[in-house]
Amino acid sequence: MAWYDRILGRSDEKLNPSQYVISRNEGLTVDSREIVTNYRNAYEQLEIVNRAVNMIVDDVSEIPFSVGDKITGTNSILKQIRKSKVNLLLNIEPNPFQDISTFRRNLITDFLIDGNIFIYFDGVHLYHLPANKINIHASDSTYIEKFTFNEVISYKPSEIIHIKDNSFYSIYRGVSRLKPALRTMVLMRSMRDFQDNFFKNGAVPGLVLKSPNTLSERIKERMLQSWSTRYNPKNG
């Protein structure tokens, strides 16, 4: 866009000449490249993943925000908002339905598992939107056309605060911090499943019985039968 287009009110020219290529490569609806269910299941089922994530969430959610003075020269979406109001939303009461601790825990959990945080700001309160339910619709001229919740409810870009984690492939969505450990988590889950089914399928460790004396066939059969009855895994 040329400098005089702003004076003449022209806004249909692309701000970024490459944006239409980026939006085409990303797709009109930018979805997460990762299968978030893998990370969510690992968080719910594996003790070490659950413990590690919860330790970070519990600690980070208790860190207060320090609200500074207004920065001049920026294009604020909401004009004339007071410093005390920002402090209220970030440190005390984000909305009438959630306390600040619950609100922050939801945000940090989404950030670790999905790699993205989505917050709806209606001009008065902040509301958490589950990251795995939000789709980003790319724009071929600016950046983002809209956000949708389950492709049912639409939000304007000015209504959504989006915080994304690092990502090499996408400029829109972040990648979960659990991705490097995905192979280990899948392997651990497979080992747990094998252990659970080991004794359910009647498997028992192999044994070698030794006797100081030579046993007759009759005594040998009687001893094997006694052991089989006494240590049958199906009978506990």
Side-chain angles (χ1 to χ4, degrees):
M1 176 179 286
W3 64 271
Y4 51 79
D5 288 329
R6 297 182 182 274
I7 301 177
L8 299 177
R10 298 176 184 174
S11 59
D12 55 344
E13 186 177 350
K14 295 179 177 62
L15 300 177
N16 179 7
S18 303
Q19 180 59 34
Y20 79 98
V21 179
I22 297 174
S23 63
R24 181 184 61 191
N25 293 339
E26 293 269 1
L28 295 179
T29 302
V30 182
D31 201 358
S32 178
R33 293 178 178 268
E34 297 299 316
I35 303 177
V36 184
T37 306
N38 293 335
Y39 308 127
R40 187 170 62 244
N41 289 344
Y43 171 70
E44 294 176 349
Q45 299 173 6
L46 299 179
E47 299 92 332
I48 186 172
V49 178
N50 183 275
R51 177 59 177 164
V53 171
N54 284 340
M55 286 178 63
I56 298 175
V57 171
D58 292 344
D59 291 343
V60 174
S61 62
E62 298 301 322
I63 300 176
F65 288 95
S66 178
V67 182
D69 296 328
K70 181 179 179 180
I71 301 176
T72 58
T74 58
N75 296 323
S76 301
I77 295 177
L78 185 63
K79 306 297 182 181
Q80 304 300 327
I81 185 171
R82 296 181 177 180
K83 182 178 179 179
S84 58
K85 177 63 175 179
V86 178
N87 181 71
L88 177 67
L89 293 175
L90 297 181
N91 292 313
I92 302 175
E93 185 184 50
N95 59 69
F97 311 104
Q98 288 181 305
D99 60 90
I100 190 62
S101 178
T102 302
F103 179 74
R104 290 178 179 174
R105 289 169 191 270
N106 290 338
L107 299 183
I108 304 304
T109 302
D110 268 0
F111 190 72
L112 293 176
I113 295 180
D114 188 273
N116 297 273
I117 295 175
F118 295 95
I119 304 172
Y120 168 58
F121 180 55
D122 62 356
V124 181
H125 298 107
L126 299 173
Y127 298 92
H128 163 249
L129 299 177
N132 63 322
K133 303 291 185 181
I134 298 296
N135 287 329
I136 304 173
H137 295 257
S139 171
D140 61 354
S141 59
T142 56
Y143 180 52
I144 295 176
E145 178 185 352
K146 63 179 178 178
F147 297 88
T148 57
F149 181 86
N150 275 345
E151 295 297 334
V152 176
I153 303 174
S154 298
Y155 299 94
K156 296 183 294 185
S158 59
E159 295 176 321
I160 298 296
I161 300 173
H162 177 206
I163 303 173
K164 68 178 288 291
D165 206 343
N166 302 328
S167 174
F168 178 77
Y169 296 101
S170 175
I171 67 171
Y172 293 99
R173 295 193 71 107
V175 176
S176 172
R177 291 292 176 99
L178 299 179
K179 180 181 178 180
L182 178 59
R183 178 179 176 274
T184 303
M185 292 186 296
V186 173
L187 180 61
M188 185 175 296
R189 186 184 297 116
S190 299
M191 293 174 59
R192 292 283 298 273
D193 293 339
F194 178 82
Q195 290 176 337
D196 292 340
N197 293 324
F198 185 79
F199 289 105
K200 290 181 181 180
N201 294 333
V204 294
L207 298 176
V208 177
L209 301 180
K210 293 185 177 182
S211 173
N213 300 318
T214 302
L215 301 179
S216 64
E217 289 296 327
R218 182 177 180 182
I219 298 178
K220 178 180 176 182
E221 292 295 333
R222 184 183 302 174
M223 182 176 293
L224 291 176
Q225 183 178 3
S226 174
W227 271 75
S228 298
T229 302
R230 183 178 302 177
Y231 301 105
N232 190 340
K234 295 182 180 180
N235 297 331

